[in-house]
Amino acid sequence: MNLQHMTDRSLIVFSDSWTTKKEILDGLINQFVKGGYVTDRDSYKQSVLEREKISATGLENGFAIPHGKSAGVVKAGFAIARLAKPLPADAWASIRSDNQVELIFLLAIPDKQAGTTHLKLLQQLSTKLMNEDFVNQLKTARNPDELFNSLNLDEADSKDNRLTCSHGKNLIAVTACATGIAHTYMAAEALKKSAKKMGVSLIVEKQGANGLEDSPTPEQIKNADGVLFAVDTKIKGLNRFNGKPYIEVNVAEPLKNGEALIDRALNHPQGILRKQIENDSDTLLTSKEITKGFSWKRWGTELGKAVMTGISYMIPVMVAAGIMLGIAKLTWLYIMHLPIADIDLPKYNSFGGFAQLIHYLDLFGGMTLNFMYPIFAMFVAYAIADRVGLISGFLGGIFAAGLNYTLWGITTGLPSGFLGALVFGLAAGYIARFLNTKIHLSKNLQAMKPMLIIPGISVLAIFLLNIYIVSPVFGGLNLLISDWIKSMANGGKIGLSSIIAAATAFDLGGPVNKAAGAVAIGLAADKIFPLTPRVLAIVIPPIGMGISTLIDKWVVGRHVYPADLRVAGNTSFLLGFLAISEGAIPFMLRNPLITVPLNIIGAIAGSVTAVMLGAVQWLPLPAIWGWPLVSNLPAYLIGLFVGVLIIALCNIFIRYHLIKKKEAQGEKIDY
């Protein structure tokens, strides 16, 4: 194959000045623009950066293969950077933590291109990069011309997708990455190499940008001893593998240790793929579902994956809301010099001009934030039941966010918050899945099940769950907390501060938080007790969690949060200064047993410190613009610092300890 057709000498850069990932990507993207491969630099760069968030594009042996698919790419191709000095091991996220990147292939893929010669050549490049001799030849080239000439490879690449062994076992693998190019084919090649060493007959189906390639026949599936899914996306055609033992890992795992994965798939599978209802492709269940017996461990794993799925879809909503709110509030206060408390006044609905625009931007940010719970619950249900769980999960999230009270004109309603969203998401998923597996209809009536029967019954179940269980439970909890805090009104400022702070930090905007707020504001209105612990406990958790994601690498020498939570941490930090505590909710949903107690401890410590040092805040303005209204502001800031530091450091050290414990047990964690 002649890979020269996919690049140009101008796209090959030997650099001794690029020392960061940003410089490399920016430099290569500029070369694409100059060469006419890319017409919209920003959209292509965004696609590359979005791909970087999904999984590591650094691999091993010193190379990385970032890539992006965008409408801004008009001609498929790749650019190459060879560095004079390898980057530090932590400068480019890689499947091997010790990988020092020095050879970078940046792929540009047109958004709508599939099945073309260009795309196939890019796939061949991805596969060829698994050849160490080829990579080393590129790394030892003395100049761009020599490197360019080495891309013209005369040897024929094997197109035999099946590796056979007369005495070995039969395995089927499916590989799929988000863009359907690089990792899809590299994972397939890595598995083929490992299978050959082990004497295992292997068939690899690639679910890439060209659709399904090298798919196994029904006979091959029948004879398979197991199925290995190395995927970052939803598996297509899962029903074909019903009844087969399986394991499922992300698409980068085969590049780390293909032999161990093959052994697991054949000898230690996760379970058996569930037998599905015939012709029910619209409600295809995921490979996490197992047929034989009940296991608390498997059930816990399924719950964890469902929650993580919900969080992954919720974070972009939260980030978007935080950006809108931040722009609006900071512009209103520091550019327009208007009182921040006036930003949501109804008079600005028809005020006209820039003030009306910023007013609506703030309302839009708040509205977007309200959809955080519906999105979370919807995709928790989706992870459990697939498409049939979406609607009931979304409507359960509506209840959790309290949007039903807004639509019904009820001003005293109590939303159930993140706990309610979790309950509704799980309930919707399991109810929909139960209905899908237990209701059997004739072939002519099959369409009624996903379109009518399952949505109707599951939505009604969520409505009744809210009316008779969730709403009364959280309403009763609200009353209980309110009465408890009121009973402590004369119990001493340290005790009362601790209770208000703990209740405020417990569920970050949920019913317990709101109960604490109602009582604290009432006590302040009657001049019985100031709002100091309340306003501090609102901002300490989100700022603390945000700081934690920013300094973990400096404190323990590595990241202790996955990439999605590091993104959420930046938003949490910003929202904390805006007094929006919901920014820390993704952390609570992912690890409640760690996050909730530490939030409470940090809020109590910070609030009590500030109160004992003499800080006093009577007005309900916890955001940064309310701080100048605090009496004894230095004491307030000291309390804030103490609470934030406790949350940040304790989270880092506890999570680091858990990571080291898992690694000691042989589990690979590469954040």
Side-chain angles (χ1 to χ4, degrees), residues 68-77 108-114 119 122:
K69 183 190 297 184
S70 167
V73 179
V74 295
K75 180 181 177 183
I109 306 151
D111 196 26
K112 296 182 179 180
Q113 188 173 92
L119 198 52
L122 288 177

Side-chain angles (χ1 to χ4, degrees), residues 148-160:
F148 180 78
N149 291 334
S150 68
L151 296 173
N152 187 359
L153 303 173
D154 295 328
E155 72 271 17
D157 292 297
S158 173
K159 299 186 181 299
D160 182 12

Side-chain angles (χ1 to χ4, degrees), residues 449-512:
K449 190 170 71 170
M451 299 297 292
L452 175 63
I453 298 174
I454 295 176
I457 296 175
S458 60
V459 166
L460 177 61
I462 291 299
F463 170 76
L464 296 175
L465 178 66
N466 182 66
I467 293 295
Y468 291 109
I469 299 179
V470 176
S471 186
V473 165
F474 286 108
L477 181 62
N478 182 54
L479 181 62
L480 181 66
I481 296 294
S482 296
D483 291 341
W484 182 40
I485 296 177
K486 287 178 182 177
S487 70
M488 293 293 295
N490 298 317
K493 62 182 181 180
I494 293 179
L496 185 56
S497 295
S498 299
I499 293 171
I500 291 174
T504 298
F506 175 74
D507 57 355
L508 303 181
V512 176

Side-chain angles (χ1 to χ4, degrees), residues 64-226:
I65 182 167
H67 47 284
K69 183 190 297 184
S70 167
V73 179
V74 295
K75 180 181 177 183
F78 62 88
I80 304 174
R82 213 184 81 188
L83 309 181
K85 181 180 179 182
L87 299 178
D90 58 356
W92 198 302
S94 303
I95 62 167
R96 289 184 60 91
S97 58
D98 60 350
N99 186 44
Q100 293 184 273
V101 172
E102 59 179 319
L103 184 63
I104 302 96
F105 292 79
L106 177 61
L107 277 58
I109 306 151
D111 196 26
K112 296 182 179 180
Q113 188 173 92
T116 66
T117 301
H118 284 166
L119 198 52
K120 290 178 180 178
L121 278 174
L122 288 177
Q123 295 162 3
Q124 291 175 359
L125 169 64
S126 301
T127 302
K128 200 61 187 175
L129 288 174
M130 296 303 297
N131 185 320
E132 288 189 18
D133 292 336
F134 174 65
V135 174
N136 289 333
Q137 183 179 353
L138 299 179
K139 288 164 66 173
T140 55
R142 291 170 293 184
N143 52 59
D145 285 339
E146 197 169 299
L147 192 151
F148 180 78
N149 291 334
S150 68
L151 296 173
N152 187 359
L153 303 173
D154 295 328
E155 72 271 17
D157 292 297
S158 173
K159 299 186 181 299
D160 182 12
N161 180 55
R162 178 171 182 169
L163 301 176
T164 60
C165 177
S166 58
H167 303 292
K169 290 187 175 182
N170 299 314
L171 180 67
I172 292 173
V174 176
T175 61
C177 67
T179 57
I181 304 293
H183 284 62
T184 299
Y185 296 90
M186 299 172 80
E189 187 68 15
L191 288 172
K192 288 165 69 176
K193 288 183 177 180
S194 298
K196 188 174 183 179
K197 289 181 182 178
M198 300 172 69
V200 172
S201 176
L202 174 69
I203 299 170
V204 187
E205 175 180 280
K206 278 82 72 176
Q207 298 189 358
N210 283 332
L212 273 60
E213 299 180 62
D214 302 319
S215 298
T217 65
E219 185 67 21
Q220 290 169 336
I221 294 174
K222 180 180 177 181
N223 294 330
D225 296 299

